[in-house]
Amino acid sequence: MAYQVTSLGISVLALLRERRMHCYEMFVTLASRHPDRIRKVRPGSLYHVVYRLADEKLIRPTGTCRSGNRPERTTYELTDAGAGALAERVCEPVANPVSEFDKFAVALAEIGHLDVDTAVEALRRRISQLELSSEEMAELPGSRADQPVMAALDYLLATTTAQIDWLHRFVDTLRVGRDGALQ
């Protein structure tokens, strides 16, 4: 089975499309550009992805250097195959929606197994958490230089806001039909 480039792999390929970098520089750049709302970046995961991309010949080492007491660092660059993989892996999910079997949708489909008060309380807690998340996203600083990242955050904010609005309406319908159990 062919290696599937992960979301983190896409980000690594994109960074190396900009310029050559070593892993620590990739980590710092990703952490500064991609708020946790888009992707969590952990050094161990990043190094694993970089080694896997190199094994797949999507990136290649260009040299190593050492600065002071710091460990030796290998710099990587994007290969032609990596550029092709990046274009394919960015275009495919943008063009083709995929059902990801959201845990919340599954729980919502089974919410009838809760009494109305329990369901309403759980939904209110979810709404509260989503409202906090929405406020945090709205306050994140952005710049024109980070336009793609800002577009992703804007998308997340819009979908979170739509979910909050829908949940408020759903809770209202549950309260109106309050008879002790969901239908």
Side-chain angles (χ1 to χ4, degrees), residues 159-171:
T159 57
T160 301
T161 301
Q163 189 179 152
I164 291 167
D165 292 343
W166 185 89
L167 287 167
H168 278 298
R169 290 191 308 274
F170 183 59
V171 166

Side-chain angles (χ1 to χ4, degrees), residues 117-133:
D117 290 334
T118 302
V120 166
E121 178 56 31
L123 290 165
R124 283 184 178 150
R125 286 195 318 257
R126 182 180 186 87
I127 290 168
S128 177
Q129 291 174 15
L130 288 171
E131 287 172 339
L132 286 172
S133 177

Side-chain angles (χ1 to χ4, degrees), residues 23 46 48 52 66 79 91 93 97 101 107 129 134 138 142-143 159 166 169 180:
C23 287
L46 177 66
H48 176 77
R52 185 64 196 256
R66 180 185 302 262
T79 64
C91 189
F101 305 107
Q129 291 174 15
S134 175
S143 70
T159 57
W166 185 89
R169 290 191 308 274

Side-chain angles (χ1 to χ4, degrees), residues 57-164:
K57 309 266 189 275
L58 301 176
I59 65 174
R60 69 176 154 250
T62 60
T64 58
C65 65
R66 180 185 302 262
S67 176
N69 290 336
R70 294 183 178 162
E72 191 171 80
R73 293 184 173 156
T74 302
T75 301
Y76 294 89
E77 70 180 358
L78 187 66
T79 64
D80 290 342
L86 172 62
E88 180 182 314
R89 289 292 290 136
V90 168
C91 189
E92 188 261 321
V94 168
N96 302 307
V98 176
S99 178
E100 296 174 343
F101 305 107
D102 180 30
K103 290 178 187 179
F104 175 65
V106 171
L108 197 56
E110 303 301 337
I111 202 166
H113 295 281
L114 300 176
D115 64 81
V116 173
D117 290 334
T118 302
V120 166
E121 178 56 31
L123 290 165
R124 283 184 178 150
R125 286 195 318 257
R126 182 180 186 87
I127 290 168
S128 177
Q129 291 174 15
L130 288 171
E131 287 172 339
L132 286 172
S133 177
S134 175
E135 290 168 11
E136 290 171 5
M137 280 188 277
E139 293 173 4
L140 287 172
S143 70
R144 288 205 176 272
D146 292 335
Q147 200 166 24
V149 172
M150 294 311 298
L153 287 171
D154 189 45
Y155 167 79
L156 292 173
L157 180 58
T159 57
T160 301
T161 301
Q163 189 179 152
I164 291 167

